[in-house]
């Protein structure tokens, strides 16, 4: 990948709209679901969201809005 | 959903005015109620607010103003 | 309530000047009193302030200035 | 008190220059003294400052500059 | 190295696109992988990311987006 | 002291250049030394700096640059 | 040293490019090395970096980029 085609992190995140991701928060809980939308603070709308603890589903939420400042990292779909 | 119809997280939140949500704070306490209003910091006015601990109602508040920086995530009504 | 009459959280707070509120801080201590004034950081002047621990009065302060970044939520008067 | 005469929290604080206050920090230690000056971050210069722990004087400092982001609340003089 | 050729930290980081790094987060977990891109908040896209605990691989992620405010430090490739 | 001669906290701090202070950090460790310079974040250059733990010298540093966001308060020289 | 020749903390830090420093982070771990560069957030590039725990070398890193918000203080070379 050349430097000219590389995307900024937030741009890449926006390109993953409608794709599946796993979001790990600072409290180590993970949320798996589809990105509906994202803004520059990494505030995320996820649909079909599942809360994972140690990789096991502990709750299903449907649509949630995650506040971006809690995010540790986001695994992109093609890597799940 | 096409990218053009997708809403930014804060816009989506504002579209949920008068709808029921559950707000989970960073301290893991949850508040269930109706969104009266919200601003760009995710400061929220909720009415008919109930404080939930492990899913059980521990207190009823009526109208509260939640400071946005405490928010972990918000579950939207149609998912409750 | 229609969306046009809904007030932003900080505007609502300012409309509660001279009314009684309970402010819960992030450290779980609560302060009950009358809002004298408030600014956009949620810095609050309260008069006739009482410190509550588990709902019991532990101290009376008269007039205090609370720094807004400590606020978890504020219960409005008509709900007390 | 009408809304037009109410003062913003930081303005009120500046009007208390030369008056005695007790400042409680987030670490629950309190500093009693006279406000020499204050800025918009709630950075405070206090003179004749005494450190209080559970209401008891544990140290005397003379003049100190307190960084505002540590402040939990400030009790104003006419209430001490 | 003269001062004129020295690079600012974020510029240096951007020059390491496509190179291998180890990112240590504030929670002491490390992520080893290739920098795909980075922005001014130190938000990072890493590919072929491995999570390391005490230097041992505990999980492989492929492509992740790390939120910059969690970063403690980043070891650059030519030093690995 | 009249309000017109009162100095803002950061101005007062800058006027204490070359004077001895004790800086207490949020982790309760104290640094005693001479202020060489200070900026608006309360970043401080101190010379002849001594680290104090419970008032006892535990280390001597010479010249250090303290990051301002760690500061709890600063005791000014004429009060030491 | 007269006030006119005193340097602001960040300027002083930039003047120490290529000199040896010890950086203590908020987690009390120290990094000893040469400053390659620094920006206004105190983000630092260090080369020949050694991680010190209680003053003992526990790891050698070569070149690292330290995120400035983790810095407690920096000891300048002529004081080591």
């Amino acid at each position: 990948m050349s430097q000219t085609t590389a995307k900024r992190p937030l741009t890449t995140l926006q390109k993953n709209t409608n794709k599946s991701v796993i979001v790990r928060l600072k409290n180590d809980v993970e949320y798996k679901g589809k990105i509906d939308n994202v803004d520059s603070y990494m505030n995320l709308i996820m649909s079909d969201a599942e809360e994972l603890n140690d990789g096991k589903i502990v709750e299903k939420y449907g649509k949630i809005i995650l506040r971006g400042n809690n995010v540790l990292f986001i695994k992109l779909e093609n890597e799940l």
Side-chain angles (χ1 to χ4, degrees), chain A:
Chain A
M1 185 174 66
S2 78
Q3 196 144 345
T4 51
T5 65
K7 298 290 182 284
R8 291 288 164 144
L10 290 170
T11 308
T12 296
L13 204 45
Q14 280 159 354
K15 299 236 168 211
N16 277 269
T17 299
N18 287 323
K19 293 188 180 160
S20 223
V21 299
I22 292 177
V23 180
R24 189 181 294 177
L25 301 189
K26 290 179 188 176
N27 63 4
D28 281 331
V29 180
E30 294 186 330
Y31 297 86
K32 182 174 184 173
K34 209 162 50 84
I35 295 184
D36 271 19
N37 214 319
V38 60
D39 65 19
S40 63
Y41 302 106
M42 281 204 196
N43 293 326
L44 288 158
I45 306 181
M46 293 177 75
S47 56
D48 301 325
E50 296 169 338
E51 183 173 322
L52 307 174
N53 225 317
D54 282 324
K56 286 175 200 144
I57 299 173
V58 293
E59 212 168 331
K60 300 198 176 192
Y61 294 121
K63 201 179 286 286
I64 61 173
I65 297 176
L66 270 166
R67 201 167 191 268
N69 67 328
N70 302 294
V71 172
L72 194 68
F73 64 79
I74 299 170
K75 308 178 219 172
L76 299 183
E77 181 183 43
N78 49 345
E79 310 301 333
L80 298 183

